[in-house]
Amino acid sequence: MTVARTNTAAGAATERPIRRRPKDRKAQIATVAAEAFSERGYHAVGVDDIAATIGISGPALYRHYPNKYALFVHAATTTADALRTAADDALAGLEEAAAGERLDRLISALVTNTIEHRKLGGLYRWEGRYLQADDRTRIRNVFVHVTQCVAAPLRELRPELSAVDATTQGAATLSVMASISAHRTALATRRLHALLTSACESILRTTLPPAVPTGDVPARVEGTGGLTMTSKRELLINEAVHIFDRNGYHDSSIEEIGAAAGINASSVYRHFPSKADLLAAVFYRAADRLAVATSAALSAATDPREALCTLAESYLELAFRNPAVLSVYFAEIGNLPENERRNLRNVQRLHVEEWVHLVTAVRSELSAAEARFLVHAALGLVLDIGRLIHFDTAEESRARLHALMVAVLLGQ
């Protein structure tokens, strides 16, 4: 340890350690920031929060990054670049190897990288909309590259697949891996690696129903149908969903939501005391509808396998009817007051456990924790692949996504 000598008032020499700035301070800041942004959201995290976690001052952090946005971009691009590097390194030197070997090596490397960066996985997935267009495009291109790294050897192994099928299944494998960032279920690393790898292999072996013919994709229609809402409360909830989805919670205002509903701001507060209460109402409304659909699906099924398939269909139907609700739930739940967030997390756990019970009834070799990972992966597919296909309402599109969900839940 390096020390410095200091003379006391009495003339005696004392020694004190000299604190030196770590060489990897910039990388340390980026990692802490990525974890914070991923867990709590971009707007909820301040520079001083990040600095305090590391044990430095805000001004010291600004020596490395000029502002919070620069730190956010660096954290997001570093996380994405790590995934690309894992893919490229896995394939390096395997140009002449068989497609199956390349695909196995690639999936293993990507799963390893995702597990290692589990706390960072939600960063781009939920917070990417706060990136400026050029930064968002750069990161999106990374995921396109990695998806095609999976799709290329897959088409060699399965030449009957179309480019759309291979790309969809490649994207689905990345979604399955990324799903571990959406929950905190614990599992030994080796077992988690095996579980995710197996789920990805099930995706890659799946035969998808035919896609919608080019040009035949119907226009998306969101909302409650052709009838006009008469309840101002329901109208506010409906408009809030779309505005939260488009702008993000922090960039949405009560005035904008009220204007969209044809109601002035002061009248909005008669129904909802705050914007957070309005956000909570969005979530509770979605939870109520999901509970009704789940109950109907379970009562109509005759065995666990059928119940799972029916549940998947019900979940897809709800999600595709109004995908903004799904996006807002995943992206904005961290902005709820703590008590509301805790209540809604409990509601979500109860819903997931219904699926877990059915999965373990069909696949007795799985523990409840393993089944829980698969359920979260299947539900995550709806958002990720739904976004990829723009939530088009064609029956063929839902059938393809349903096949992917069933592959993850039941295996192949």
Side-chain angles (χ1 to χ4, degrees):
M1 177 186 294
T2 305
V3 297
R5 287 186 176 275
T6 302
N7 290 325
T8 65
T14 62
E15 294 183 346
R16 59 180 175 80
I18 296 177
R19 297 181 62 183
R20 297 193 182 279
R21 187 184 308 162
K23 293 181 180 180
D24 63 345
R25 175 70 82 196
K26 186 171 185 177
Q28 181 188 26
I29 293 171
T31 298
V32 170
E35 291 182 4
F37 289 142
S38 181
E39 181 176 353
R40 294 159 52 197
Y42 174 64
H43 283 288
V45 177
V47 168
D48 289 340
D49 297 328
I50 297 167
T53 301
I54 300 169
I56 62 175
S57 66
L61 188 149
Y62 284 122
R63 296 192 192 110
H64 301 279
Y65 298 96
N67 51 51
K68 187 172 83 165
Y69 181 76
L71 177 53
F72 179 49
V73 171
H74 182 80
T77 53
T78 298
T79 303
D81 288 344
L83 188 69
R84 179 173 190 151
T85 298
D88 291 344
D89 288 351
L91 296 174
L94 295 181
E95 293 79 7
E96 303 302 322
E101 180 183 352
R102 282 184 281 133
L103 193 55
D104 288 346
R105 187 82 64 87
L106 177 62
I107 294 299
S108 179
L110 293 176
V111 168
T112 297
N113 175 269
T114 305
I115 293 173
E116 290 176 352
H117 296 89
R118 181 177 182 179
K119 292 183 179 180
L120 315 180
L123 182 57
Y124 178 74
R125 206 176 184 204
W126 316 132
E127 302 300 306
R129 62 183 156 179
Y130 296 117
L131 292 167
Q132 296 172 10
D134 289 346
D135 296 321
R136 190 163 56 248
T137 297
R138 177 189 168 190
I139 295 177
R140 184 184 297 120
N141 288 340
V142 171
F143 286 97
V144 170
H145 170 78
V146 177
T147 298
Q148 291 309 312
C149 284
V150 177
L154 177 60
R155 289 195 77 188
E156 290 182 45
L157 278 176
R158 300 182 58 190
E160 79 279 6
L161 293 180
S162 67
V164 170
D165 286 350
T167 297
T168 300
Q169 288 171 253
T173 61
L174 298 186
S175 173
V176 166
M177 297 176 201
S179 68
I180 66 174
S181 67
H183 61 99
R184 297 180 180 178
T185 304
L187 198 62
T189 298
R190 181 177 297 181
R191 183 56 192 143
L192 178 55
H193 192 289
L195 185 70
L196 292 178
T197 300
S198 176
C200 289
E201 290 171 349
S202 293
I203 290 267
L204 298 176
R205 286 194 294 265
T206 298
T207 298
L208 297 178
V212 182
T214 303
D216 292 346
V217 178
R220 263 223 48 80
V221 178
E222 295 187 10
T224 58
L227 298 178
T228 300
M229 291 186 184
T230 57
S231 166
K232 290 183 179 180
R233 179 181 175 84
E234 292 300 318
L235 184 58
L236 285 167
I237 291 173
N238 186 66
E239 295 298 339
V241 168
H242 300 294
I243 292 173
F244 288 149
D245 183 43
R246 183 175 66 246
N247 301 344
Y249 175 78
H250 286 275
D251 290 335
S252 301
S253 68
I254 287 291
E255 290 76 14
E256 182 180 8
I257 295 168
I263 302 170
N264 61 45
S266 60
S267 296
V268 174
Y269 288 115
R270 295 175 189 169
H271 300 278
F272 301 99
S274 68
K275 188 169 68 169
D277 289 304
L278 182 49
L279 179 64
V282 168
F283 288 149
Y284 281 118
R285 181 66 73 253
D288 289 343
R289 290 173 179 169
L290 185 58
V292 170
T294 300
S295 177
L298 292 175
S299 64
T302 58
D303 60 69
R305 182 180 293 269
E306 181 186 353
L308 272 175
C309 293
T310 305
L311 266 181
E313 289 174 355
S314 298
Y315 189 84
L316 279 168
E317 198 277 330
L318 283 175
F320 275 60
R321 183 191 306 167
N322 197 341
V325 174
L326 193 63
S327 297
V328 169
Y329 180 84
F330 277 104
E332 307 294 357
I333 193 168
N335 289 309
L336 288 172
E338 184 178 354
N339 63 317
E340 297 286 15
R341 185 167 63 249
R342 184 170 55 251
N343 290 340
L344 282 159
R345 293 282 192 201
N346 288 335
V347 170
Q348 182 197 39
R349 286 190 197 97
L350 291 173
H351 176 245
V352 167
E353 290 309 308
E354 293 280 8
W355 294 64
V356 168
H357 173 73
L358 295 172
V359 171
T360 53
V362 177
R363 302 180 62 181
S364 58
E365 77 278 8
L366 296 177
S367 66
E370 290 167 333
R372 202 166 291 120
F373 272 95
L374 295 182
V375 170
H376 281 289
L379 299 180
L381 281 169
V382 179
L383 178 62
D384 294 331
I385 304 304
R387 284 173 168 174
L388 181 67
I389 63 177
H390 306 294
F391 289 99
D392 74 77
T393 55
E395 183 179 343
E396 294 92 335
S397 296
R398 288 219 305 260
R400 288 163 66 82
L401 188 41
H402 184 266
L404 294 171
M405 293 179 73
V406 170
V408 169
L409 293 168
L410 299 182
Q412 288 286 328

